[in-house]
Amino acid sequence: MSGLLYLIPIALFLGLLGLVAFLWAIKTDQFEDLDGAASRILFDDDADKDKNKKDDG
Amino acid sequence: MTDVIEKTEPSSIRANPALGGSLESYIQRTDDGHYGMRLLVDGMHCAGCQNRIETRLEKIRGVVEGRVNLTARRLSLTWQPAVVDVQSVIADIEELGFRLVPFNPEKLSSDFDQTRKRLVRAMAVAGFATANIMLLSVAVWAGLAQDMQPVTRSLMHWISALIAVPAVAYAGMPFFESAAAALKGRRANMDVPISLAVLMATAMSLIETARGADHVYFDSATALLFFLLIGRFLEQSARGRARSAVEHLLALNASAVTVLNADGTTQPLPPEEVRPGMRVLVAAGGRIPVDGQVIGGVSDVDGSLITGESIPVTVREGSAVHAGAVNLTAALTVEVAAAGNDTLLAEIGRLLEAAEQRRARYVDVAARIVKIYAPVVHILAAVAFVGWFFFGAVAWQDALLIAVAVLIITCPCALALAVPVVQVVAANRLFRQGILVKSPTALERLAQVDTVVFDKTGTLTEGLPKLLIDGAWTQEDLRSAACLAAVSLHPLARALTDMAPAVPAASGVEEVPGHGLRRVTARGETRLGRGDWCGATESTSDMPELWLARPGRDPVRFAFIDTIRDDAAETIQALRDDGMTVEILSGDRPAAVARVAEALSVDRTRAGAKPADKIARLEELARQGRRVCMVGDGLNDAPALAAASASLSPATAADISQTASDVVFQGQHLAPVAETLRVARRADSLVRQNFALAFTYNVLTVPLAMAGLVTPLIAAVAMSTSSIIVICNALRLGRMRRS
């Protein structure tokens, strides 16, 4: 039974970790644009972006 | 036709330099010295549009970040004020064919987003607490049957309490607040028994834990909150769809009016400052901003959004024009008869508002049930407590524990899920077919429909004239007509060029407003236009037509027809098979309506109906006890769409019609109308089944709880099972076969 004394806190800690990760995701708007983010990876525009950054800098 | 308007209508921002000042109020300063603004993007549909906008923005010097949210159709823009002017950035994006409307994020959406986020956070906390307490509870329940030491059980209970108390305090807040507000107003809503159940279960469990008793209800308290929050979140999501439509209405704000001063100079004015008697210039391609009389110029005016008439009419000095119509061929000077709130357009807006208020009185089925349910729950719990304490001869703690069990068992988890789960599943099923359900109560109202009223132009028909292949012309005629037509915006000319896309535009073509097009060559003059102008003797039909006159040859006639959508007849038959009465209610000429009605074998028709007539007809039908679903697209349909008990409009409809209707469907077909009604009826029967399941569960378990036989284990099992059964039942809707 003494195993419970550290197993329960470990279980709760892992659960809390998941909860905190989820709350962080909500807070930083990770779920704001589900449709756009899905296709954003397909855009082939990395080259343009770099050039633009240099111009600004 | 909407395409033409979208391309030619000047945007509210660009057309009005005076508006530049009011843009200021939308600009926010960011911490690092940049400026930021949020804009609604109209006309963005897919990832391709998103890519085009973002790529374009990246190429503009001085734009720090331009990020599109495709789900919310918004653009968040950050720029360096010293390098670039936001007006020019906006103009650049509008060149791509999108309309941008700035909005104030704090004003518009923060309330809604905050509530939603808060519900999700509460749901996450409740879910975490439920899962962990349930793990501990399983150990306790197993221990009760075996030989767990009281000390170990007590430890488990204290750990559960440690998780449950803060979780309930946080996740229960939405319910507690709403219950407190209701009690303050001396009302009782569903949150009162919910709060009571959760709070009493937690409090009693704490007392029982301190006493070292066997049974505590921490798991039930958190599980209740978890299930109820799921229901509440789904409900909120269903409402969210309706909101984005309201945001679009903002985009309709009228653009600036170009006023012609007495000394010949022009001056842009906001529409509300235009007074009767002023003279207004309307450029070709622009939307007429006022009601008035033409005092200069000859042009063709497309009034389809106002009247439902699909063919432009010619206006000249003395003709009356209405706000909202699009001026097609040449500039006009209009003397203002009415502006702003007195125009026909504003009148339509008012009719719309009044009709919407009438519909807002609709009370959905869940609200009606809650009214009866809440008091019953309280009475049952009180009876259980009083009965056991006075007649059952048990300690007050035990009597109270039984009352808590009654509250937990009657807590409306399954009821709270019954409607929103079905709504979300149905809305998603329709969404996959390009049908957007905007109003949360729409499906319920659609399910009761027994009469479907169609508008004609743009709904039953495609709303665009098509060249009739009737043997009156040859391919060679078509080619010579098309090379003239290619320069014109007129819908009939467009229809001609659609049939001969490869023909290049001829040079030197002149548009004669109200008559047609002409081109003078060495061999003579070629004309394409009205019959009397092209030397044709008589017009034999009421169909719209163009004549082609060439030197030394007989005039050739091109007739046009507004084609009926492919599957219109099929859809109407399907609706009839489902027991619906079908009617046509149109603002178009009787002959045009009769032709369509005959082709679709619909015998109940009304033609020449103005917006107010349409509402009157719908009210007449309502008085006969009919539940009417209106399907329409024009601006003139908008009030009728709002007045009908349910309404649909195609995605090509005027913005205001899409805003007024409950359901918007995409694509060239009418089949979504029948499909929507079928899904709505199916959803309705599933909601009823869900209520029946939830009630059966209550009828079975409430006597057990009253008898004091419900342990925490039984409560947990019963509660979860009923909720899961209701959810599974709702999911059957997604698997329904399409006819």
Side-chain angles (χ1 to χ4, degrees):
Chain A
M1 275 300 167
S2 62
L4 283 179
L5 289 178
Y6 57 86
L7 282 178
I8 290 178
I10 290 177
L12 285 180
F13 173 75
L14 289 177
L16 267 178
L17 212 64
L19 179 64
V20 169
F22 182 69
L23 291 180
W24 169 84
I26 302 275
K27 194 177 174 153
T28 51
D29 290 345
Q30 300 294 318
F31 302 113
E32 273 298 281
D33 183 14
L34 298 175
D35 306 335
S39 40
R40 204 178 285 276
I41 190 168
L42 300 172
F43 298 164
D44 194 19
D45 51 3
D46 293 342
D48 287 352
K49 215 173 253 173
D50 290 345
K51 215 187 286 166
N52 193 36
K53 286 255 165 62
K54 260 175 231 159
D55 286 354
D56 285 349
Chain B
M1 203 158 287
T2 1
D3 266 343
V4 177
I5 290 157
E6 269 174 15
K7 275 177 209 141
T8 51
E9 187 183 47
S11 88
S12 56
I13 297 161
R14 220 173 348 157
N16 186 3
L19 259 179
S22 67
L23 266 184
E24 297 279 325
S25 60
Y26 297 102
I27 296 177
Q28 292 139 353
R29 235 162 265 231
T30 56
D31 299 333
D32 42 3
H34 302 323
Y35 280 14
M37 189 194 272
R38 304 281 200 91
L39 302 121
L40 290 172
V41 186
D42 193 31
M44 178 168 67
H45 304 293
C46 61
C49 306
Q50 173 190 8
N51 193 11
R52 273 165 68 207
I53 296 177
E54 291 192 347
T55 323
R56 181 66 169 258
L57 284 171
E58 271 161 19
K59 288 193 184 126
I60 302 174
R61 264 183 67 94
V63 172
V64 181
E65 195 189 20
R67 205 173 161 84
V68 169
N69 182 333
L70 187 60
T71 313
R73 310 251 157 102
R74 286 177 190 166
L75 169 65
S76 145
L77 198 62
T78 317
W79 70 98
Q80 297 172 311
V83 183
V84 69
D85 175 32
V86 69
Q87 297 270 7
S88 71
V89 177
I90 290 173
D92 267 3
I93 300 304
E94 293 198 325
E95 232 163 66
L96 296 175
F98 303 99
R99 266 166 86 197
L100 294 180
V101 180
F103 74 98
N104 194 338
E106 273 124 50
K107 232 189 205 163
L108 203 59
S109 54
S110 65
D111 258 14
F112 175 76
D113 283 349
Q114 291 300 324
T115 325
R116 219 170 112 95
K117 275 192 181 170
R118 195 174 159 208
L119 283 175
V120 176
R121 280 200 300 266
M123 199 165 81
V125 170
F128 162 79
T130 309
N132 285 284
I133 296 174
M134 203 54 90
L135 282 176
L136 299 170
S137 298
V138 169
V140 172
W141 297 332
L144 284 173
Q146 293 176 336
D147 57 347
M148 183 186 263
Q149 297 294 314
V151 185
T152 317
R153 183 157 58 236
S154 192
L155 174 72
M156 297 292 196
H157 283 170
W158 279 114
I159 298 176
S160 302
L162 204 68
I163 307 170
V165 172
V168 166
Y170 181 75
M173 262 315 170
F175 301 99
F176 303 156
E177 279 170 7
S178 144
L183 287 178
K184 223 181 201 170
R186 300 185 174 282
R187 291 174 291 113
N189 61 8
M190 211 55 212
D191 291 337
V192 177
I194 289 172
S195 305
L196 208 62
V198 171
L199 286 175
M200 283 186 62
T202 315
M204 276 314 290
S205 301
L206 269 178
I207 294 174
E208 294 291 291
T209 306
R211 283 207 311 166
D214 289 347
H215 296 305
V216 296
Y217 286 99
F218 289 124
D219 50 34
S220 296
T222 49
L224 269 185
L225 284 178
F226 183 51
F227 284 123
L228 289 168
L229 284 164
I230 295 178
R232 193 79 32 122
F233 174 71
L234 290 177
E235 221 178 275
Q236 187 81 2
S237 309
R239 256 181 232 158
R241 288 173 200 275
R243 282 192 56 89
S244 58
V246 178
E247 287 169 9
H248 265 275
L249 188 61
L250 284 176
L252 265 179
N253 273 344
S255 48
V257 180
T258 311
V259 173
L260 187 65
N261 292 329
D263 57 4
T265 57
T266 61
Q267 167 196 9
L269 273 187
E272 61 271 16
E273 284 177 28
V274 176
R275 299 279 167 265
M278 285 182 172
R279 292 172 174 206
V280 169
L281 278 181
V282 187
R287 189 167 284 193
I288 298 175
V290 294
D291 284 0
Q293 209 178 22
V294 177
I295 53 169
V298 179
S299 179
D300 296 298
V301 167
D302 174 0
S304 62
L305 286 182
I306 304 281
T307 59
E309 174 108 25
S310 52
I311 301 304
V313 287
T314 304
V315 296
R316 49 174 50 84
E317 235 166 279
S319 312
V321 288
H322 291 295
V326 176
N327 179 16
L328 288 175
T329 36
L332 286 175
T333 311
V334 177
E335 188 174 273
V336 182
N341 283 331
D342 305 321
T343 58
L344 186 65
L345 192 63
E347 177 64 23
I348 286 176
R350 271 196 295 277
L351 282 173
L352 181 72
E353 211 169 288
E356 267 179 345
Q357 272 170 8
R358 247 168 285 158
R359 194 159 70 187
R361 288 195 215 124
Y362 182 86
V363 182
D364 57 58
V365 60
R368 274 175 287 171
I369 285 177
V370 161
K371 247 188 186 163
I372 312 164
Y373 197 76
V376 170
V377 172
H378 289 135
I379 292 166
L380 282 178
V383 166
F385 176 71
V386 171
W388 278 95
F389 185 57
F390 288 106
F391 307 105
V394 296
W396 68 269
Q397 288 103 326
D398 293 330
L400 199 54
L401 211 55
I402 291 169
V404 167
V406 172
L407 277 177
I408 291 176
I409 285 292
T410 51
C411 217
C413 287
L415 275 184
L417 287 168
V419 180
V421 178
V422 173
Q423 272 182 355
V424 168
V425 173
N428 280 342
R429 181 198 161 98
L430 291 172
F431 184 76
R432 282 199 302 273
Q433 300 172 43
I435 306 169
L436 295 170
V437 181
K438 284 171 36 202
S439 154
T441 59
L443 288 171
E444 225 173 275
R445 284 181 277 116
L446 281 164
Q448 300 165 349
V449 161
D450 56 11
T451 307
V452 184
V453 175
F454 284 96
D455 171 48
K456 183 185 74 73
T457 315
T459 308
L460 285 174
T461 68
E462 287 173 1
L464 287 170
K466 281 240 171 81
L467 183 55
L468 192 66
I469 303 172
D470 57 358
W473 45 270
T474 63
Q475 279 300 320
E476 193 234 324
D477 297 334
L478 176 63
R479 267 195 303 278
S480 33
C483 71
L484 273 107
V487 301
S488 175
L489 270 181
H490 196 285
L492 294 182
R494 283 289 166 97
L496 257 182
T497 44
D498 279 351
M499 287 292 282
V503 176
S507 60
V509 178
E510 183 195 353
E511 188 150 16
V512 185
H515 294 292
L517 302 155
R518 71 173 170 198
R519 177 173 181 235
V520 185
T521 56
R523 280 170 38 217
E525 189 177 295
T526 311
R527 286 180 170 186
L528 177 70
R530 292 166 59 110
D532 46 9
W533 186 60
C534 293
T537 44
E538 60 193 280
S539 181
T540 48
S541 80
D542 62 340
M543 276 189 270
E545 55 190 24
L546 282 180
W547 288 81
L548 176 69
R550 280 164 299 187
R553 292 165 78 166
D554 281 341
V556 179
R557 172 175 175 266
F558 295 97
F560 297 86
I561 191 161
D562 187 6
T563 46
I564 297 169
R565 289 191 197 240
D566 289 348
D567 60 345
E570 221 173 283
T571 304
I572 285 175
Q573 193 49 46
L575 289 172
R576 286 213 176 108
D577 290 346
D578 288 343
M580 307 276 167
T581 314
V582 177
E583 189 169 322
I584 297 178
L585 191 56
S586 172
D588 209 347
R589 290 160 293 137
V593 176
R595 193 165 49 235
V596 171
E598 197 185 44
L600 297 174
S601 58
V602 176
D603 46 6
R604 301 161 67 108
T605 60
R606 296 265 163 124
K610 292 198 181 67
D613 298 339
K614 289 191 174 185
I615 292 188
R617 174 63 186 151
L618 292 180
E619 276 170 355
E620 188 183 330
L621 285 168
R623 271 198 302 279
Q624 291 167 15
R626 297 193 162 272
R627 307 277 186 154
V628 184
C629 171
M630 173 85 200
V631 188
D633 77 318
L635 198 57
N636 59 329
D637 296 318
L641 289 169
S645 54
S647 52
L648 288 89
S649 64
T652 49
D655 287 2
I656 196 164
S657 298
Q658 294 192 34
T659 309
S661 63
D662 298 311
V663 174
V664 175
F665 59 92
Q666 289 161 333
Q668 289 302 309
H669 299 286
L670 269 185
V673 176
E675 167 74 2
T676 309
L677 289 172
R678 272 186 66 234
V679 169
R681 276 197 304 278
R682 179 84 177 124
D684 190 61
S685 78
L686 282 175
V687 164
R688 278 163 208 277
Q689 283 171 20
N690 275 351
F691 278 135
L693 284 171
F695 279 123
T696 314
Y697 150 80
N698 275 328
V699 168
L700 290 178
T701 49
V702 167
L704 285 181
M706 299 275 288
L709 296 174
V710 169
T711 61
L713 172 61
I714 295 177
V717 170
M719 203 164 57
S720 322
T721 333
S722 66
S723 296
I724 290 168
I725 287 177
V726 163
I727 292 174
C728 290
N729 190 42
L731 291 177
R732 292 197 304 146
L733 183 64
R735 294 210 314 268
M736 180 176 99
R737 266 187 299 140
R738 291 179 63 181
S739 61

